[in-house]
Amino acid sequence: MKVIGYVRVSTDEQASQGVSLAAQADKIRAYCALYDLELIDIIEDAGQSAKSLNRPGIQRALGMLRNGEAGGLIVAKLDRLTRSVRDVADLCDTVFSRTATLFSVGDQLDTRSAAGRLVVNILACVSQWEREAIGERTKTALAYKKSQGVRLGAPPTARQTDDSDTVARILELRAQDCTLWDIVHTLQAEGRPTKRGGQWAPKTVAQVLARHGVAA
């Protein structure tokens, strides 16, 4: 069977480092070698969220499947494809039923059987729950900041920015599903320095999020 590999990372920081993308690709190649599958391409979406299928890479891969250029799509893990239960259900009904097969290396499953399609949908439910739980924790943190009198949103001037206000802004942007680099660029555009007066970086934004119980 001819198959397409698909890899994705959710932040520009991961995309620039390339480590996660390379690790996913290595797993896909090893899986193909083990099960005698012909890997014709590995398509990537770097710095893309999994909340929808509106990504250039996955759309290209699905187009190749629909055109009969390959018989299967392989991902290192199901959440690399999508975290949306609705998207998984739609794909299983339209693409991964008779047209093509979905393989997930880390989850050890494929959609060639009804049991495989059932497991895919169950795992998608778990992934969506995880994403929504992160959103709920972020909103809770924002509500607490607001109750403490911290002003949310962009400041009128950089001089009026304090540390707690910037933290609230970071949480607000993350709740909007902004990537780490999106947050960095916004903070820079709004003239918000770090606590020590330096420039923000994805790593420092991630540290702020972690201190407030929000996944980066």
Side-chain angles (χ1 to χ4, degrees), residues 100-118:
T101 300
L102 172 64
F103 301 89
S104 176
V105 179
D107 305 303
Q108 288 295 304
L109 57 86
D110 64 61
T111 59
R112 285 177 289 190
S113 68
R117 291 190 293 274
L118 172 64

Side-chain angles (χ1 to χ4, degrees), residues 38 43 46 60 65 67 85 122 144 168 170-171 182 205:
E38 182 183 351
I43 299 175
R60 177 188 164 203
L65 294 176
N67 293 334
V85 174
I122 291 173
Y144 174 76
I170 291 172
L171 294 173
D182 288 339
V205 171

